[in-house]
Amino acid sequence: MWCLSGLSVALALALVPGPAGALKEGECEVCVTFLEKFYQQLKDNKATFNSEDIEKEIIKSCRDARGKENRFCYYIGATSDAATKIINEVSKPLSYHVPVEKICEKLKKKDSQICELKYDKQLDLTTVDLKKLKVKDLKKILEEWGESCKGCAEKSDFIRKITELMPKYAPAAARARTDL
């Protein structure tokens, strides 16, 4: 009798889904953030929630994506140079209003690289000493702004370009720097 009840308890525990498939805090950061913004954009624009329209909208949103979000778009096949296409794994669940965390969880099973994407740490331009940054970091600042520094050969050229453009892209940081 005890053997039978122990077996039934073990069977019941085996059938209860565990937290193994659930996303941990901070996991799939880019996926969750991008899809939340995208879903909110669809709701704000009162878009029709059918799979084909959502797919077209994802491709349109991915044209403007930069950095890690562009890499996410590449992984799901929403860019023109993507090798694989699993965009329907995003568009179909979104058309049924499935939570983005669940969509990212499913994408993680298809391609683990999607959940390995993390945003770069943001620099506080109000306090950072640009002279102490590496050229790579200075280039990254310009890239995030969608700018380039043609003809820049030295670190001082990049710093000059950033301080020139700072009022346009980071006005609060530019004001704080002039107050110093």
Side-chain angles (χ1 to χ4, degrees):
M1 182 71 182
W2 283 102
C3 182
L4 185 60
S5 68
L7 185 61
S8 60
V9 169
L11 182 63
L13 288 175
L15 294 177
V16 173
L23 295 177
K24 296 176 186 79
E25 185 68 34
E27 196 175 22
C28 290
E29 177 184 9
V30 175
C31 177
V32 170
T33 306
F34 181 81
L35 289 180
E36 280 176 346
K37 282 193 296 189
F38 178 71
Y39 183 69
Q40 191 58 48
Q41 179 185 339
L42 287 176
K43 287 191 335 189
D44 292 345
N45 295 341
K46 293 178 178 52
T48 57
F49 278 90
N50 65 45
S51 192
E52 293 101 31
D53 289 348
I54 291 174
E55 203 167 306
K56 288 175 189 169
E57 288 296 319
I58 290 173
I59 292 170
K60 196 187 319 179
S61 288
C62 284
R63 281 190 209 124
D64 301 329
R66 298 204 170 283
K68 301 294 181 177
E69 291 182 347
N70 182 274
R71 180 62 35 192
F72 169 75
C73 290
Y74 174 79
Y75 288 152
I76 65 168
T79 58
S80 58
D81 61 340
T84 60
K85 191 166 182 166
I86 57 172
I87 194 168
N88 60 332
E89 297 288 333
V90 175
S91 61
K92 193 171 279 184
L94 271 179
S95 68
Y96 301 126
H97 304 280
V98 172
V100 294
E101 290 82 7
K102 291 289 181 192
I103 296 171
C104 292
E105 211 174 284
K106 200 173 196 180
L107 288 173
K108 180 183 179 185
K109 292 175 186 168
K110 296 268 184 196
D111 187 354
S112 64
Q113 293 178 13
I114 290 173
C115 283
E116 292 170 5
L117 288 172
K118 297 212 181 300
Y119 287 110
D120 296 328
K121 295 212 187 292
Q122 291 297 102
L123 290 172
D124 184 11
L125 292 174
T126 57
T127 58
V128 74
D129 185 2
L130 295 174
K131 293 174 185 158
K132 291 185 178 179
L133 292 178
K134 295 178 180 176
V135 173
K136 179 178 122 180
D137 296 328
L138 296 172
K139 284 181 179 179
K140 193 184 295 181
I141 292 170
L142 289 171
E143 184 184 315
E144 285 173 6
W145 290 347
E147 297 283 344
S148 64
C149 191
K150 298 210 184 324
C152 292
E154 296 183 20
K155 189 178 196 174
S156 59
D157 298 333
F158 286 100
I159 292 171
R160 184 178 29 77
K161 183 75 170 182
I162 289 171
T163 51
E164 227 174 78
L165 294 170
M166 200 176 287
K168 180 179 176 186
Y169 293 103
R175 279 193 302 277
R177 287 180 163 280
T178 55
D179 293 343
L180 295 176

